[in-house]
């Protein structure tokens, strides 16, 4: 097992801190690190796609889980896979798609680990019909503070605290996941422009069960009657019989495409207000007013963030802050009000996405709840950013909503208890299982989790 001292950040490249990083190659090596932890504790880390500081541990230890990446068993009849926590969703797709199975929930990047997906309880554009990642976890092996490995099953308190628990109940070593059957690796995609936010909400509300995947890109720089204008994308898996005969032999091929190799050439600070406004204008104008049944590869439809690896550099040396919140049905005016605030301030928000959530899952600190969620990214050096986001926090909390902890880098410590009703139970369970605070992170200290 290798070890080194490194400076780590989240995907937003803000608030770097230094920790001792271990790279275990076996479960026993991971247990050795947990048993031999120092006073600042330890936290697990995957591929570093958490936007904030959930996988950092200033002055403590970080377990880099990426070497634990074995796919242990695939049941192609029952549709389950058993894999190590360090396996990426990309690797799962490479293995499972040719067998006719798909990861049932995926975020906008496939370069996240299974352990990270569990700790953050990630969601996708199909939350309304499929829920979040937690709903599809059948069992997991968890390394706890005493150095022992526990099998954790749905319906237990430890399962509820771990799914979405940000790595603070222990180290996920492996998981058994339920899968979704597919007959091709293609998506049938419908696209429509919405003139304003109300139009985007209407298009998303009109999606039935036959269109499980839906999201809207929102232009947060458009003003006046165009405030909240959007491009709404809806999709479903293409059935085999919809393909011509010659294409059916390779219907399940996974062709993600090559990532650009010139990420380091992307100019730092490229996406300021004016360039972002021009890109938004171009994107909205180039989108078809209505287009139906366009065939698209799974990777292009689900993982837009993977097509722009230099995006974090474009935000400048100070990095970026991602903000995601959700409010319930009946609180649409809060959503409208927040969008108006951002447009009036001419905030250069990038990758602003609106989705509709379904029922929440079993995770005590899981983010999704029935209603609407909006996420966007802003330069960390934007003047007045802290004051702006503090104000949005208050509006979201007053509306009974919540901010996504897995993406957070700056929330104030008193607000999670208001936003997450089961936080007291989470803290109590942590105190019972881990009284010495073995599992800690920059985020847990900042928010007193």
């Amino acid at each position: 097992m290798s070890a080194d001292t490194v400076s780590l950040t989240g995907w937003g490249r803000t608030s770097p801190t230094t920790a001792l990083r271990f790279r275990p190659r076996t479960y026993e090596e991971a247990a050795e690190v947990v048993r031999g932890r120092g006073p600042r504790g330890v936290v697990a880390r995957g591929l570093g796609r958490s936007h904030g500081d959930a996988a950092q541990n200033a002055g403590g230890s970080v377990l880099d889980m990426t070497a634990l990446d074995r796919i242990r068993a695939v049941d192609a009849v029952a549709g389950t896979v058993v894999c190590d926590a360090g396996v990426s969703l990309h690797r799962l797709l490479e293995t499972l798609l040719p067998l006719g199975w798909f990861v049932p929930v995926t975020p906008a990047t496939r370069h996240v680990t299974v352990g990270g997906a569990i700790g953050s309880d990630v969601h996708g554009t199909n939350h309304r019909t499929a829920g979040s990642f937690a709903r599809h976890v059948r069992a997991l092996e968890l390394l706890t503070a005493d150095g022992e490995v526990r099998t954790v099953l749905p319906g237990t308190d430890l399962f509820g605290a771990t799914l979405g628990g940000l790595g603070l109940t222990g180290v996920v070593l492996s998981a058994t996941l339920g899968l979704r059957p597919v007959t091709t690796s293609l998506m049938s995609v419908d696209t429509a422009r919405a003139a304003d936010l109300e139009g985007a909400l209407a298009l998303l509300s009109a999606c039935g069960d036959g269109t499980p995947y839906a999201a809207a890109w929102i232009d947060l720089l458009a003003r006046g009657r165009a405030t909240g204008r959007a491009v709404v994308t809806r999709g479903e898996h293409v059935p085999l019989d919809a393909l011509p005969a010659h294409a059916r032999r390779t219907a399940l091929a996974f062709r993600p495409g090559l990532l650009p190799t010139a990420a380091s050439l992307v100019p730092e600070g490229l996406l300021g207000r004016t360039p972002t406004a021009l890109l938004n204008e171009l994107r909205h104008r180039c989108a078809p007013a209505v287009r139906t049944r366009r065939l698209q590869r799974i990777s292009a439809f689900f993982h837009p963030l993977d097509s722009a690896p230099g995006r974090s550099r474009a935000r400048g040396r100070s990095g970026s802050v991602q903000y995601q919140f959700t409010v319930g049905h009946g609180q649409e005016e809060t959503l409208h009000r927040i969008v108006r605030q951002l447009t009036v301030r001419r905030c250069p928000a990038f990758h602003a996405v609106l989705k509709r959530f379904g029922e929440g899952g079993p995770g005590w600190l899981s983010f999704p709840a029935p209603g609407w969620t909006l996420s966007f990214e802003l330069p960390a050096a934007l003047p007045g950013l802290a004051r702006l986001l503090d104000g949005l926090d208050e509006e979201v909390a007053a509306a009974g909503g919540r901010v996504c902890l897995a993406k957070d880098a700056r929330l104030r410590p008193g607000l999670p208890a208001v936003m997450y009703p089961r936080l007291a139970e989470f803290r109590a369970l942590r105190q019972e299982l881990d009284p010495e605070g073995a599992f800690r992170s920059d985020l847990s200290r900042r928010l007193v989790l």
Side-chain angles (χ1 to χ4, degrees):
M1 174 172 56
S2 64
D4 57 355
T5 299
V6 293
S7 178
L8 297 171
T9 71
W11 193 235
R13 299 194 301 134
T14 60
S15 307
T17 57
T18 300
L20 184 60
R21 177 177 60 186
F22 295 89
R23 292 189 179 94
R25 293 162 297 181
T26 66
Y27 293 173
E28 182 51 41
E29 287 183 347
E32 286 177 16
V33 175
V34 171
R35 287 193 291 262
R37 64 189 178 273
R40 298 284 287 181
V42 62
V43 71
R45 182 181 176 96
L47 288 167
R49 291 313 196 263
S50 178
H51 208 86
D53 54 5
Q56 298 170 221
N57 186 22
S61 300
V62 170
L63 270 173
D64 182 331
M65 300 295 288
T66 53
L68 291 170
D69 62 350
R70 288 165 292 182
I71 296 178
R72 295 176 171 270
V74 177
D75 188 331
V77 176
T80 59
V81 60
V82 182
C83 62
D84 286 348
V87 172
S88 69
L89 298 191
H90 174 87
R91 174 102 180 280
L92 282 183
L93 290 172
E94 282 185 318
T95 302
L96 298 173
L97 261 178
L99 302 176
W101 295 99
F102 184 66
V103 180
V105 171
T106 177
T109 172
R110 63 187 182 276
H111 297 291
V112 299
T113 62
V114 168
I118 289 171
S120 299
D121 193 17
V122 298
H123 60 272
T125 58
N126 62 336
H127 187 274
R128 177 178 52 86
T129 57
S132 57
F133 205 83
R135 187 183 296 184
H136 308 278
V137 176
R138 305 285 178 83
L140 57 88
E141 299 295 310
L142 185 73
L143 173 62
T144 51
D146 54 9
E148 300 299 318
V149 177
R150 302 189 186 200
T151 299
V152 183
L153 300 175
T156 62
D157 284 351
L158 188 52
F159 187 90
T162 300
L163 274 293
L166 305 165
L168 299 177
T169 61
V171 178
V172 176
L173 297 175
S174 70
T176 302
L177 309 176
L179 306 171
R180 173 178 181 141
V182 293
T183 54
T184 74
S185 60
L186 294 171
M187 302 296 295
S188 175
V189 182
D190 298 344
T191 306
R193 281 202 306 255
D196 55 20
L197 180 58
E198 195 61 41
L201 292 171
L203 286 171
L204 291 174
S205 296
C207 293
D209 291 344
T211 309
Y213 304 97
W217 164 80
I218 304 291
D219 183 357
L220 291 179
L221 281 168
R223 294 185 289 182
R225 289 185 296 179
T227 297
R229 68 180 180 179
V231 178
V232 179
T233 304
R234 296 164 292 187
E236 58 186 324
H237 293 277
V238 175
L240 184 64
D241 58 14
L243 298 183
H246 72 273
R248 296 179 185 178
R249 287 177 297 176
T250 58
L252 288 168
F254 179 49
R255 302 186 181 97
L258 297 176
L259 290 175
T261 57
S264 61
L265 301 180
V266 175
E268 286 196 326
L270 171 66
L271 294 176
R273 181 180 298 159
T274 300
T276 300
L278 291 173
L279 288 172
N280 286 359
E281 183 70 28
L282 183 65
R283 181 170 184 175
H284 195 266
R285 284 180 179 270
C286 290
V290 177
R291 180 173 61 195
T292 60
R293 298 183 181 179
R294 179 193 181 198
L295 293 185
Q296 198 170 19
R297 291 178 180 176
I298 270 179
S299 56
F301 179 79
F302 286 104
H303 307 125
L305 298 188
D306 295 339
S307 65
R311 185 171 62 92
S312 63
R313 283 180 54 84
R315 278 303 179 200
R317 293 180 184 274
S318 299
S320 62
V321 172
Q322 189 166 95
Y323 190 84
Q324 183 168 13
F325 70 93
T326 184
V327 291
H329 296 295
Q331 293 293 334
E332 286 79 6
E333 180 50 38
T334 301
L335 179 61
H336 278 275
R337 190 163 54 249
I338 289 175
V339 169
R340 286 195 297 268
Q341 287 184 53
L342 295 169
T343 58
V344 166
R345 288 179 56 97
R346 303 290 289 159
C347 292
F350 184 71
H351 195 66
V353 177
L354 175 69
K355 297 190 287 281
R356 185 179 166 202
F357 277 162
E359 292 300 316
W364 292 0
L365 296 188
S366 292
F367 168 66
W372 301 99
T373 180
L374 177 65
S375 63
F376 53 89
E377 194 173 336
L378 293 168
L382 186 69
L385 179 62
R387 185 166 57 254
L388 168 67
L389 296 184
D390 284 349
L392 298 189
D393 293 341
E394 297 294 342
E395 290 203 51
V396 169
R402 57 184 62 161
V403 170
C404 182
L405 299 180
K407 297 181 178 181
D408 177 59
R410 30 69 47 202
L411 192 66
R412 288 171 294 167
L415 284 173
V418 177
M419 297 175 172
Y420 290 84
R422 303 197 71 173
L423 179 57
E425 295 174 73
F426 178 82
R427 286 169 169 160
L429 184 64
R430 281 196 70 205
Q431 179 61 33
E432 176 186 341
L433 295 177
D434 183 12
E436 297 180 1
F439 300 109
R440 304 184 192 181
S441 65
D442 290 356
L443 181 140
S444 74
R445 278 187 286 267
R446 177 169 55 81
L447 296 181
V448 197
L449 299 178

